[in-house]
Amino acid sequence: MDSSVLAAKRVLVVGDCMLDQYWFGDAERISPEAPVPVVRVLRTDARLGGAANVALNITTLGAKAALMSVAGEDEAGHTLRSLLEASGIESLLQTDSSIKTTVKLRIIARQQQMLRADFEDAPTREVLAAILGSFNDQIERSDAVVLSDYGKGGLNHIRQMIEHARQVGVPVLIDPKGSDYSRYKGATLITPNRAELAMVTGCWSSEEELRNKAQRLREELDLKALLLTRSEEGMTLYTADGELTVPAQAREVFDVSGAGDTVIGILSAMLATGMPIEDAVRIANRAGGIVVGKLGTASVSYKELFEGEQ
């Protein structure tokens, strides 16, 4: 993949963004107040999370990314905007002063996550309506769109977004959540993991049963493809032409946080260049194998992904 081809492409990311905060420290004793470890915090870190992490993966690879989401008028929101600017992501954030910016706080000691605390509110209808209007303008300037659904309320107008993207011929990739996948009808591709797919189709006891369930869902939703991410089993792509299973890369798994963001971000950038979906899946799988070897939400560079292929 030529880096200049990527640099000319723009991916619009829409959905639930958040700030991932990390508190790192030591845990050498148990609290006298309760049977829990005491963590002495030594340093802190703030990173882009959710839809913002998808956008970060796209820009780190070398393509352009624009992020359309909602943040509050608070300290976390200001930090989020600063990180977006520093990362070269085009910010299309709407401000909702009535909510708190979504934050996931992780406390980590001795390379182990001890606790995660979530802070979140749902955006107001007025702000979501403004996002839909902006989406219709932005989609025509984009080569692909990712709808990153974390179930935080930022994609209430997802049906209209999919329909408009289809009208202008822009591929739509969705990281799904919840049990109602009818809202994703007409998308180009969805990327559920095993637990997410089982929530919608029911469990399976064989590859044949899985194949039938996945293909039936793909047809019902009028999707071009369904990409099932399977952790240590790699990924399986289901299309009208059949299926393609790509084995997981043989790497030590350190942290799976944000791995789904990396997969769909890299996949969207590849499809924006016009690459066949099967080839794009192989590259996205390799990217997922790299990022799980890093701590916390992370991204993959062009050099890491294509090193040795030039």
Side-chain angles (χ1 to χ4, degrees), residues 156-172:
N156 281 11
H157 299 290
I158 193 168
R159 286 188 174 93
Q160 295 97 311
M161 291 177 177
I162 293 170
E163 178 59 29
H164 192 72
R166 284 189 67 156
Q167 289 175 358
V168 297
V170 175
V172 180

PDB file of all heavy atoms in Angstrom, residues 156-172:
ATOM      1  N   ASN A 156     -28.451   8.286  17.580  1.00  0.00           N
ATOM      2  CA  ASN A 156     -29.908   8.127  17.514  1.00  0.00           C
ATOM      3  C   ASN A 156     -30.451   8.230  16.088  1.00  0.00           C
ATOM      4  O   ASN A 156     -31.514   7.692  15.785  1.00  0.00           O
ATOM      5  CB  ASN A 156     -30.594   9.186  18.383  1.00  0.00           C
ATOM      6  CG  ASN A 156     -30.564   8.808  19.853  1.00  0.00           C
ATOM      7  OD1 ASN A 156     -29.876   7.873  20.244  1.00  0.00           O
ATOM      8  ND2 ASN A 156     -31.295   9.548  20.674  1.00  0.00           N
ATOM      9  N   HIS A 157     -29.717   8.912  15.204  1.00  0.00           N
ATOM     10  CA  HIS A 157     -30.169   9.097  13.821  1.00  0.00           C
ATOM     11  C   HIS A 157     -29.414   8.180  12.859  1.00  0.00           C
ATOM     12  O   HIS A 157     -29.237   8.527  11.686  1.00  0.00           O
ATOM     13  CB  HIS A 157     -29.975  10.563  13.405  1.00  0.00           C
ATOM     14  CG  HIS A 157     -30.759  11.534  14.236  1.00  0.00           C
ATOM     15  ND1 HIS A 157     -32.128  11.638  14.177  1.00  0.00           N
ATOM     16  CD2 HIS A 157     -30.359  12.442  15.154  1.00  0.00           C
ATOM     17  CE1 HIS A 157     -32.538  12.569  15.022  1.00  0.00           C
ATOM     18  NE2 HIS A 157     -31.479  13.068  15.625  1.00  0.00           N
ATOM     19  N   ILE A 158     -29.001   7.027  13.316  1.00  0.00           N
ATOM     20  CA  ILE A 158     -28.128   6.173  12.515  1.00  0.00           C
ATOM     21  C   ILE A 158     -28.802   5.686  11.235  1.00  0.00           C
ATOM     22  O   ILE A 158     -28.151   5.558  10.198  1.00  0.00           O
ATOM     23  CB  ILE A 158     -27.609   4.984  13.361  1.00  0.00           C
ATOM     24  CG1 ILE A 158     -26.462   4.281  12.635  1.00  0.00           C
ATOM     25  CG2 ILE A 158     -28.732   4.018  13.713  1.00  0.00           C
ATOM     26  CD1 ILE A 158     -25.705   3.301  13.515  1.00  0.00           C
ATOM     27  N   ARG A 159     -30.095   5.452  11.271  1.00  0.00           N
ATOM     28  CA  ARG A 159     -30.791   4.983  10.062  1.00  0.00           C
ATOM     29  C   ARG A 159     -30.706   6.019   8.938  1.00  0.00           C
ATOM     30  O   ARG A 159     -30.445   5.686   7.784  1.00  0.00           O
ATOM     31  CB  ARG A 159     -32.252   4.663  10.390  1.00  0.00           C
ATOM     32  CG  ARG A 159     -32.453   3.374  11.187  1.00  0.00           C
ATOM     33  CD  ARG A 159     -33.939   3.050  11.283  1.00  0.00           C
ATOM     34  NE  ARG A 159     -34.180   1.767  11.910  1.00  0.00           N
ATOM     35  CZ  ARG A 159     -34.401   1.596  13.223  1.00  0.00           C
ATOM     36  NH1 ARG A 159     -34.390   2.661  14.017  1.00  0.00           N
ATOM     37  NH2 ARG A 159     -34.622   0.405  13.730  1.00  0.00           N
ATOM     38  N   GLN A 160     -30.950   7.287   9.306  1.00  0.00           N
ATOM     39  CA  GLN A 160     -30.866   8.343   8.291  1.00  0.00           C
ATOM     40  C   GLN A 160     -29.443   8.506   7.770  1.00  0.00           C
ATOM     41  O   GLN A 160     -29.226   8.769   6.586  1.00  0.00           O
ATOM     42  CB  GLN A 160     -31.352   9.673   8.896  1.00  0.00           C
ATOM     43  CG  GLN A 160     -32.835   9.665   9.274  1.00  0.00           C
ATOM     44  CD  GLN A 160     -33.048   9.378  10.738  1.00  0.00           C
ATOM     45  OE1 GLN A 160     -32.492   8.423  11.276  1.00  0.00           O
ATOM     46  NE2 GLN A 160     -33.859  10.205  11.391  1.00  0.00           N
ATOM     47  N   MET A 161     -28.465   8.323   8.633  1.00  0.00           N
ATOM     48  CA  MET A 161     -27.063   8.438   8.222  1.00  0.00           C
ATOM     49  C   MET A 161     -26.697   7.346   7.211  1.00  0.00           C
ATOM     50  O   MET A 161     -26.053   7.620   6.196  1.00  0.00           O
ATOM     51  CB  MET A 161     -26.147   8.348   9.452  1.00  0.00           C
ATOM     52  CG  MET A 161     -26.238   9.543  10.374  1.00  0.00           C
ATOM     53  SD  MET A 161     -25.191   9.342  11.848  1.00  0.00           S
ATOM     54  CE  MET A 161     -25.459  10.917  12.662  1.00  0.00           C
ATOM     55  N   ILE A 162     -27.110   6.131   7.488  1.00  0.00           N
ATOM     56  CA  ILE A 162     -26.825   5.024   6.575  1.00  0.00           C
ATOM     57  C   ILE A 162     -27.476   5.274   5.220  1.00  0.00           C
ATOM     58  O   ILE A 162     -26.851   5.094   4.166  1.00  0.00           O
ATOM     59  CB  ILE A 162     -27.324   3.688   7.171  1.00  0.00           C
ATOM     60  CG1 ILE A 162     -26.518   3.322   8.413  1.00  0.00           C
ATOM     61  CG2 ILE A 162     -27.242   2.560   6.134  1.00  0.00           C
ATOM     62  CD1 ILE A 162     -27.084   2.153   9.186  1.00  0.00           C
ATOM     63  N   GLU A 163     -28.710   5.709   5.236  1.00  0.00           N
ATOM     64  CA  GLU A 163     -29.442   5.940   3.993  1.00  0.00           C
ATOM     65  C   GLU A 163     -28.771   7.031   3.162  1.00  0.00           C
ATOM     66  O   GLU A 163     -28.609   6.877   1.942  1.00  0.00           O
ATOM     67  CB  GLU A 163     -30.888   6.335   4.313  1.00  0.00           C
ATOM     68  CG  GLU A 163     -31.731   6.651   3.084  1.00  0.00           C
ATOM     69  CD  GLU A 163     -31.834   5.483   2.102  1.00  0.00           C
ATOM     70  OE1 GLU A 163     -31.761   4.317   2.554  1.00  0.00           O
ATOM     71  OE2 GLU A 163     -31.965   5.744   0.891  1.00  0.00           O
ATOM     72  N   HIS A 164     -28.352   8.109   3.810  1.00  0.00           N
ATOM     73  CA  HIS A 164     -27.730   9.203   3.060  1.00  0.00           C
ATOM     74  C   HIS A 164     -26.378   8.764   2.498  1.00  0.00           C
ATOM     75  O   HIS A 164     -26.034   9.116   1.360  1.00  0.00           O
ATOM     76  CB  HIS A 164     -27.563  10.436   3.949  1.00  0.00           C
ATOM     77  CG  HIS A 164     -27.194  11.672   3.183  1.00  0.00           C
ATOM     78  ND1 HIS A 164     -28.075  12.337   2.364  1.00  0.00           N
ATOM     79  CD2 HIS A 164     -26.024  12.344   3.075  1.00  0.00           C
ATOM     80  CE1 HIS A 164     -27.480  13.372   1.807  1.00  0.00           C
ATOM     81  NE2 HIS A 164     -26.221  13.405   2.219  1.00  0.00           N
ATOM     82  N   ALA A 165     -25.614   8.014   3.260  1.00  0.00           N
ATOM     83  CA  ALA A 165     -24.319   7.533   2.775  1.00  0.00           C
ATOM     84  C   ALA A 165     -24.496   6.610   1.575  1.00  0.00           C
ATOM     85  O   ALA A 165     -23.723   6.670   0.610  1.00  0.00           O
ATOM     86  CB  ALA A 165     -23.583   6.808   3.898  1.00  0.00           C
ATOM     87  N   ARG A 166     -25.531   5.791   1.609  1.00  0.00           N
ATOM     88  CA  ARG A 166     -25.797   4.898   0.474  1.00  0.00           C
ATOM     89  C   ARG A 166     -26.153   5.708  -0.772  1.00  0.00           C
ATOM     90  O   ARG A 166     -25.738   5.371  -1.886  1.00  0.00           O
ATOM     91  CB  ARG A 166     -26.936   3.927   0.812  1.00  0.00           C
ATOM     92  CG  ARG A 166     -26.536   2.799   1.719  1.00  0.00           C
ATOM     93  CD  ARG A 166     -27.618   1.750   1.859  1.00  0.00           C
ATOM     94  NE  ARG A 166     -27.871   1.023   0.605  1.00  0.00           N
ATOM     95  CZ  ARG A 166     -28.385  -0.190   0.534  1.00  0.00           C
ATOM     96  NH1 ARG A 166     -28.731  -0.840   1.639  1.00  0.00           N
ATOM     97  NH2 ARG A 166     -28.601  -0.773  -0.609  1.00  0.00           N
ATOM     98  N   GLN A 167     -26.913   6.769  -0.583  1.00  0.00           N
ATOM     99  CA  GLN A 167     -27.335   7.584  -1.720  1.00  0.00           C
ATOM    100  C   GLN A 167     -26.142   8.216  -2.442  1.00  0.00           C
ATOM    101  O   GLN A 167     -26.169   8.375  -3.665  1.00  0.00           O
ATOM    102  CB  GLN A 167     -28.301   8.671  -1.244  1.00  0.00           C
ATOM    103  CG  GLN A 167     -29.668   8.156  -0.833  1.00  0.00           C
ATOM    104  CD  GLN A 167     -30.548   9.250  -0.257  1.00  0.00           C
ATOM    105  OE1 GLN A 167     -30.141  10.404  -0.127  1.00  0.00           O
ATOM    106  NE2 GLN A 167     -31.772   8.887   0.116  1.00  0.00           N
ATOM    107  N   VAL A 168     -25.101   8.559  -1.682  1.00  0.00           N
ATOM    108  CA  VAL A 168     -23.938   9.202  -2.300  1.00  0.00           C
ATOM    109  C   VAL A 168     -22.812   8.199  -2.578  1.00  0.00           C
ATOM    110  O   VAL A 168     -21.741   8.589  -3.047  1.00  0.00           O
ATOM    111  CB  VAL A 168     -23.408  10.360  -1.423  1.00  0.00           C
ATOM    112  CG1 VAL A 168     -24.458  11.442  -1.296  1.00  0.00           C
ATOM    113  CG2 VAL A 168     -22.970   9.872  -0.054  1.00  0.00           C
ATOM    114  N   GLY A 169     -23.060   6.911  -2.293  1.00  0.00           N
ATOM    115  CA  GLY A 169     -22.108   5.871  -2.657  1.00  0.00           C
ATOM    116  C   GLY A 169     -20.884   5.764  -1.775  1.00  0.00           C
ATOM    117  O   GLY A 169     -19.826   5.309  -2.224  1.00  0.00           O
ATOM    118  N   VAL A 170     -21.008   6.158  -0.496  1.00  0.00           N
ATOM    119  CA  VAL A 170     -19.878   6.072   0.429  1.00  0.00           C
ATOM    120  C   VAL A 170     -20.050   4.836   1.318  1.00  0.00           C
ATOM    121  O   VAL A 170     -21.115   4.655   1.920  1.00  0.00           O
ATOM    122  CB  VAL A 170     -19.796   7.337   1.307  1.00  0.00           C
ATOM    123  CG1 VAL A 170     -18.698   7.199   2.360  1.00  0.00           C
ATOM    124  CG2 VAL A 170     -19.543   8.558   0.440  1.00  0.00           C
ATOM    125  N   PRO A 171     -19.030   3.959   1.415  1.00  0.00           N
ATOM    126  CA  PRO A 171     -19.153   2.758   2.250  1.00  0.00           C
ATOM    127  C   PRO A 171     -19.332   3.107   3.722  1.00  0.00           C
ATOM    128  O   PRO A 171     -18.695   4.038   4.237  1.00  0.00           O
ATOM    129  CB  PRO A 171     -17.844   2.004   2.010  1.00  0.00           C
ATOM    130  CG  PRO A 171     -16.898   3.008   1.443  1.00  0.00           C
ATOM    131  CD  PRO A 171     -17.725   4.008   0.715  1.00  0.00           C
ATOM    132  N   VAL A 172     -20.206   2.362   4.395  1.00  0.00           N
ATOM    133  CA  VAL A 172     -20.531   2.588   5.804  1.00  0.00           C
ATOM    134  C   VAL A 172     -20.112   1.373   6.619  1.00  0.00           C
ATOM    135  O   VAL A 172     -20.615   0.263   6.407  1.00  0.00           O
ATOM    136  CB  VAL A 172     -22.041   2.831   6.004  1.00  0.00           C
ATOM    137  CG1 VAL A 172     -22.350   3.074   7.476  1.00  0.00           C
ATOM    138  CG2 VAL A 172     -22.521   3.984   5.153  1.00  0.00           C
TER     139      VAL A 172
END
